[in-house]
Amino acid sequence: MKHQKGLFITLLTLLLFLLPFSALSQLNTGYYLQKGKQLLHYYKYSRAIQTFNTVIEYEPDHAEAYFLRGIAKYNLGDYYGAERDYSSAVQYKSNAAKAYYYRAMTRIQLYNFQGAIEDFNQTLYFIPGQPELFIQRGFSKLRLENYQPAIEDFNRALDRNARSQRAYYYRGLSKLNLRDTTASLEDLSRALQVDSTFANAYITRGRIYQQKKKHQKALNDFNRALKINPNNSKARINRSMVYYHLDSIRQAMNDLDQVVRNQPSNA
């Protein structure tokens, strides 16, 4: 009896310890999830990862915890780790549209453009008609040199938002790669009508003018780009070439000197 009584007390003590711990773990999952979100909000990504690790330790199939941890890893530049976490998120929640979208954006960073397109397809299945998704999918097709399919996506984006400067810009790049410089110039000009501070649109349009030997127009565009960002090396190098063709050798040298000062390793 004494042995049984001792055993009973031991089991009772163990149960009293385990039951609150189990209940606490369930409560802590939600607490840690919220805490991790707050850490993300304040850009404390490493601490957020540790917090989401705790959630995943207790609930290994918690899709949202994987998704949020993926965001933290992405912001720390750990794109492979982020991609794995987004993959886990969609594994445990197949309709996690945000996870597909963020995995697509991560795959762009990893130059996996075909994988990004597949993820944008999935995202569009759950969230049809979003202009941003067509722009990003079109950009991925552009990087794969699938110019006509890319243009079709930019057209879809512009059908839904006629003031998307990036859609005009990327469509202009696609048309430029198809050697349709006239249509490309029209799109680049439209992009600049929407956003007059779009430096890359000025640079690309300036290069087309440069190819067409319209040196003054090219010079004007490179000047505008450099007014927006004086340290833009692409604009400065291209402007130096225009100065060279205009026989303004000293100004061409000044631009190249400036690039070398800012970027000593620029071959």
Side-chain angles (χ1 to χ4, degrees):
M1 286 292 293
K2 185 176 181 181
H3 173 72
Q4 289 179 336
K5 183 178 180 182
L7 182 60
F8 174 77
I9 292 172
T10 301
L11 289 172
L12 181 61
T13 303
L14 186 61
L15 285 171
L16 287 172
F17 174 76
L18 288 177
L19 286 174
F21 182 79
S22 175
L24 186 61
S25 70
Q26 293 174 7
L27 291 174
N28 278 350
T29 299
Y31 165 77
Y32 282 119
L33 199 66
Q34 188 60 36
K35 180 181 177 182
K37 290 178 181 179
Q38 290 176 347
L39 290 168
L40 282 179
H41 179 73
Y42 290 106
Y43 313 111
K44 297 178 180 180
Y45 301 118
S46 296
R47 288 179 58 190
I49 288 172
Q50 295 173 1
T51 305
F52 296 129
N53 288 345
T54 303
V55 177
I56 291 168
E57 181 182 351
Y58 286 122
E59 295 187 31
D61 59 351
H62 200 299
E64 187 179 9
Y66 283 111
F67 169 69
L68 293 169
R69 191 174 70 174
I71 290 177
K73 290 180 179 179
Y74 180 94
N75 281 281
L76 288 173
D78 180 8
Y79 300 125
Y80 288 106
E83 183 185 31
R84 286 193 296 271
D85 275 347
Y86 296 139
S87 296
S88 295
V90 299
Q91 176 186 348
Y92 295 118
K93 187 179 180 182
S94 60
N95 64 343
K98 286 185 179 180
Y100 281 114
Y101 172 74
Y102 280 93
R103 188 172 69 176
M105 298 301 291
T106 303
R107 285 176 168 174
I108 286 176
Q109 295 295 328
L110 294 170
Y111 296 90
N112 179 7
F113 299 109
Q114 186 56 50
I117 290 169
E118 293 168 5
D119 277 344
F120 287 128
N121 291 343
Q122 285 288 344
T123 312
L124 280 162
Y125 176 79
F126 295 114
I127 313 173
Q130 289 294 320
E132 179 64 21
L133 297 177
F134 288 117
I135 292 172
Q136 295 294 349
R137 189 174 70 175
F139 172 78
S140 299
K141 293 175 181 178
L142 171 61
R143 292 302 303 268
L144 289 174
E145 300 182 1
N146 296 329
Y147 302 122
Q148 193 57 50
I151 289 171
E152 292 169 5
D153 268 346
F154 300 134
N155 289 342
R156 292 187 182 98
L158 289 166
D159 286 342
R160 292 161 174 81
N161 178 12
R163 292 189 57 78
S164 173
Q165 69 270 34
R166 288 185 302 121
Y168 283 122
Y169 174 69
Y170 289 133
R171 190 173 72 174
L173 286 182
S174 301
K175 290 176 179 178
L176 179 60
N177 280 285
L178 291 173
R179 302 183 187 281
D180 188 350
T181 55
T182 301
S184 178
L185 282 172
E186 290 175 357
D187 273 344
L188 294 168
S189 296
R190 288 192 185 104
L192 289 166
Q193 286 172 5
V194 176
D195 182 2
S196 61
T197 65
F198 198 163
N200 283 339
Y202 283 120
I203 294 170
T204 305
R205 191 174 71 174
R207 291 177 66 180
I208 296 174
Y209 285 140
Q210 196 174 354
Q211 292 171 7
K212 292 178 175 290
K213 301 188 185 303
K214 297 181 179 181
H215 298 306
Q216 191 57 53
K217 284 189 174 183
L219 184 62
N220 291 341
D221 274 350
F222 297 138
N223 285 341
R224 290 187 183 105
L226 286 165
K227 187 175 181 180
I228 296 164
N229 179 8
N231 294 321
N232 191 309
S233 59
K234 289 182 181 179
R236 203 167 282 279
I237 289 171
N238 279 283
R239 189 174 72 171
S240 75
M241 296 171 67
V242 174
Y243 280 138
Y244 176 82
H245 286 293
L246 293 174
D247 293 326
S248 300
I249 305 303
R250 174 49 53 193
Q251 288 172 295
M253 288 290 291
N254 287 341
D255 271 344
L256 294 173
D257 287 343
Q258 184 65 44
V259 174
V260 171
R261 280 195 293 271
N262 293 339
Q263 301 177 349
S265 62
N266 191 317

